Amino acid sequence: MSSRASDVYYDPYAIEINADPYPVYRRLREEAPLYYNEPHDFYAVSRFEDVERGLRDREIYISGRGAIIELIKANIAFPPGVLIFEDPPIHTVHRTLLSRVFTPRKVAALEPKIREFCARSLDPLVGTGRFDFIADLGAQMPMRTIGMLLGIPEQDQESVRDSVDASLRTKAGKPMQFSERSVSGEMFADYVDWRAEHPSDDLMTELLRVEFEDETGTVRRLTRQEILTYVNVVAGAGNETTGRLIGWSGKVLADHPDQRRELVEDRSLIPNAIEELLRYESPAPHVARYVTRDVEVQGRTVPAGSAMMFLIGSANRDDRRFPDGDRFDIHRKVDQHLTFGYGGHFCLGAALARLEGRVALEEILKRFPEWEVDRDNARLASTSTVRGWETLPVFTR
């Protein structure tokens, strides 16, 4: 059935849909697998197979015009280094450079520090009867981890995180406001200049020193502006989504106390529980692409120049791929969800996010085996780009 024959309406800016998008996602998958939204002028696909295929096809669906509807419409030129908004060959060059930072060895070596950051956040709360999954942990540990990787002094990390957060915020029900300053990374200028004089074992020093062959075949070092942009992208991606994952672990496990009890009793179940949390509540529920040429989807033509939205949050609950997809089950064999994307733009920091999620959950359950959400004070964030909790206070016992 085409969306013209169905009255289903999906709008990424609608607060009431965002509060619980899953019933709408289900209707889209069944009634309008290719959906067109007239007010905002975008197409959307919602089934796993269509989303996966679209994310893999980098010729028809390109990232170079932005990965958010608002950016595609604004037709903004992005400075080099905004990795998520790039296509080959320049994307390949930049991705290869950054992948050196996120090697399995480097990520695994971070575990003791991440555990220490969790302990520092959680230990003072033991015995108080409550804590906030976001304010007390989700907004702290990922910030400290990414700050350590980047080489940002700890006393400055909160202001950097808040600036990045503010650039991702949207007014309730409104599209994101965007300017070139949002990605320029100017707030990191002093750190980069200082690191040039005082090298250390961190990402900034590595980016300052690295020599590489760019897309023109020239062997060179990164420009100062490229480094600033890189650092900005990593700081934003590293803080926001992991904080959301930690928030969702608090909410979903409160809703499923029997499964939470299993995790307390058997910590070996935690890595798979993290995969199921990532599938069940995707911190980034959708991503957009610019359509370079006419393409047939679900028997209809999507014209060149369109904006296509891939509904990752819907694909991850598609019963065709995950039987009974709206059910949370820590024993589910997840094999492959789309939360970290797919193909050339698969999230570089996925291994780090998984590690942070696992360690956070281990440390939380060790201290607080049971909790209930303080529903009167829990609040979803009003942003159209990522989905998660602004604040998630819980009562512990």
Side-chain angles (χ1 to χ4, degrees), residues 26 29-30 46-53 56 276 279 312 314-326 332-338 342:
R26 177 168 287 281
R29 292 193 301 269
E30 302 312 320
S46 47
R47 292 181 181 174
F48 188 97
E49 192 181 13
D50 291 330
V51 173
E52 183 187 55
R53 187 188 298 118
R56 194 171 51 221
E276 175 69 344
R279 178 199 73 83
I312 289 166
S314 170
N316 278 343
R317 292 207 186 188
D318 187 351
D319 300 330
R320 296 162 188 79
R321 178 67 184 227
F322 302 104
D324 199 4
D326 283 328
R332 182 190 297 274
K333 190 175 181 325
V334 181
D335 68 358
Q336 184 223 331
H337 54 69
L338 298 175
Y342 189 75

Side-chain angles (χ1 to χ4, degrees), residues 84-228:
I84 47 178
F85 304 153
E86 290 182 339
D87 301 300
I90 195 166
H91 174 261
T92 312
V93 171
H94 288 151
R95 188 180 171 91
T96 303
L97 275 174
L98 265 191
S99 64
R100 302 172 186 209
V101 182
F102 294 107
T103 61
R105 186 180 59 80
K106 284 186 178 169
V107 169
L110 294 169
E111 181 166 341
K113 285 303 285 185
I114 293 171
R115 215 170 274 289
E116 190 185 305
F117 293 149
C118 288
R120 198 200 306 182
S121 288
L122 297 173
D123 282 348
L125 303 166
V126 173
T128 63
R130 58 185 299 131
F131 90 97
D132 189 320
F133 268 78
I134 303 301
D136 294 325
L137 188 62
Q140 302 293 328
M141 179 270 281
M143 166 195 77
R144 292 198 174 111
T145 304
I146 218 77
M148 178 177 67
L149 267 181
L150 292 173
I152 295 168
E154 190 154 313
Q155 66 271 21
D156 297 344
Q157 288 172 4
E158 297 225 1
S159 65
V160 166
R161 179 201 65 210
D162 292 346
S163 306
V164 171
D165 272 3
S167 71
L168 288 165
R169 286 281 168 273
T170 51
K171 289 195 170 64
K174 294 281 189 296
M176 183 184 195
Q177 296 303 304
F178 186 84
S179 70
E180 300 205 17
R181 222 183 113 56
S182 309
V183 292
S184 71
E186 233 9 83
M187 69 178 117
F188 298 106
D190 291 345
Y191 305 121
V192 170
D193 296 342
W194 193 80
R195 271 286 171 247
E197 301 292 318
H198 306 84
S200 174
D201 179 23
D202 58 37
L203 171 60
M204 281 196 209
T205 305
E206 194 149 339
L207 292 178
L208 282 159
R209 288 176 167 174
V210 71
E211 288 198 343
F212 68 103
E213 187 177 311
D214 72 14
E215 68 282 6
T216 67
T218 308
V219 175
R220 65 177 180 88
R221 289 189 168 187
L222 288 165
T223 65
R224 180 173 178 274
Q225 184 53 61
E226 284 174 323
I227 293 172
L228 288 175

Side-chain angles (χ1 to χ4, degrees), residues 198-351:
H198 306 84
S200 174
D201 179 23
D202 58 37
L203 171 60
M204 281 196 209
T205 305
E206 194 149 339
L207 292 178
L208 282 159
R209 288 176 167 174
V210 71
E211 288 198 343
F212 68 103
E213 187 177 311
D214 72 14
E215 68 282 6
T216 67
T218 308
V219 175
R220 65 177 180 88
R221 289 189 168 187
L222 288 165
T223 65
R224 180 173 178 274
Q225 184 53 61
E226 284 174 323
I227 293 172
L228 288 175
T229 308
Y230 261 170
V231 169
N232 196 36
V233 168
V234 173
N239 264 323
E240 188 74 14
T241 45
T242 311
R244 297 275 177 250
L245 167 60
I246 290 169
W248 283 119
S249 71
K251 174 67 170 66
V252 175
L253 291 174
D255 292 344
H256 299 85
D258 294 355
Q259 296 190 56
R260 181 177 59 196
R261 210 160 292 129
E262 283 189 73
L263 296 177
V264 171
E265 287 161 13
D266 183 357
R267 286 167 62 155
S268 71
L269 299 173
I270 289 178
N272 196 67
I274 293 295
E275 294 307 306
E276 175 69 344
L277 278 164
L278 286 163
R279 178 199 73 83
Y280 187 74
E281 289 289 8
S282 311
H286 48 71
V287 67
R289 297 283 188 264
Y290 177 82
V291 181
T292 58
R293 56 183 166 84
D294 290 6
V295 58
E296 187 168 307
V297 181
Q298 291 287 342
R300 284 164 54 202
T301 299
V302 175
S306 299
M308 173 66 83
M309 190 176 261
F310 296 115
L311 300 179
I312 289 166
S314 170
N316 278 343
R317 292 207 186 188
D318 187 351
D319 300 330
R320 296 162 188 79
R321 178 67 184 227
F322 302 104
D324 199 4
D326 283 328
R327 184 171 59 85
F328 177 73
D329 178 8
I330 58 170
H331 300 289
R332 182 190 297 274
K333 190 175 181 325
V334 181
D335 68 358
Q336 184 223 331
H337 54 69
L338 298 175
T339 298
F340 293 122
Y342 189 75
H345 277 276
F346 183 80
C347 174
L348 266 177

